[in-house]
């Protein structure tokens, strides 16, 4: 929906003022503009799920998770100025990014200064 709004000429902006963890970080990165308070956090990690079934079901679920990871990397690529492999490694490591450190992680975001430490 965010991409559709952008395609229709509506500029979308995400402003992280606390924590944008997990899928919230992907939603924020899907916006045209990303702002993050200097004391706010964004967190990225691999997709995960719960599954029940036999070995075939588990293999199918693993394939689905791989597809989901690829889709998330494509979203993160729009805001991170790094290679896909770097984003994948950050997801593997469950990376927490403090707003004031966004440049260190090559996160293209407007840092909103002056926020008190959490």
């Amino acid at each position: 929906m965010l991409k559709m709004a952008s395609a229709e000429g509506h500029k979308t902006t995400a402003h992280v003022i606390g924590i944008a963890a997990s899928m919230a970080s992907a939603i924020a990165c899907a916006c045209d503009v990303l702002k993050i308070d200097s004391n706010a956090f964004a967190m990225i990690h691999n997709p995960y799920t719960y599954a029940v079934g036999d070995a075939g079901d588990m293999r199918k679920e693993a394939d689905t998770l791989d597809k989901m990871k690829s889709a998330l990397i494509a979203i993160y690529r729009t805001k991170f100025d790094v290679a896909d492999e770097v984003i994948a490694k950050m997801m593997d490591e469950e990376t927490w990014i403090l707003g004031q450190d966004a440049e260190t992680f090559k996160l293209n975001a407007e840092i909103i200064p002056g926020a008190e430490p959490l």
Side-chain angles (χ1 to χ4, degrees):
M1 294 301 297
L2 292 168
K3 291 299 182 190
M4 282 178 33
S6 182
E8 293 173 359
H10 305 284
K11 190 173 186 178
T12 58
T13 300
H15 185 166
V16 180
I17 59 173
I19 296 175
S22 195
M23 189 53 71
S25 66
I27 292 168
C29 286
C31 289
D32 296 313
V33 175
L34 175 58
K35 298 179 180 186
I36 185 169
D37 285 358
S38 60
N39 70 335
F41 285 93
M43 183 272 283
I44 67 173
H45 64 84
N46 287 326
Y48 59 85
T49 188
Y50 296 96
V52 176
D54 62 19
D57 295 325
M58 297 300 118
R59 286 184 195 91
K60 181 180 176 186
E61 197 62 30
D63 290 342
T64 299
L65 287 170
D66 288 342
K67 290 176 187 175
M68 292 173 76
K69 183 172 184 174
S70 293
L72 287 167
I73 288 171
I75 293 168
Y76 290 131
R77 184 185 318 117
T78 68
K79 293 294 181 281
F80 285 89
D81 191 22
V82 295
D84 289 1
E85 296 78 19
V86 174
I87 296 170
K89 187 173 190 295
M90 290 170 62
M91 292 172 72
D92 290 344
E93 295 173 352
E94 186 182 295
T95 302
W96 287 82
I97 302 163
L98 182 61
Q100 67 187 22
D101 299 329
E103 291 178 17
T104 302
F105 290 93
K106 307 290 188 206
L107 176 59
N108 296 318
E110 179 185 340
I111 312 307
I112 308 300
E116 292 295 320
L118 292 175

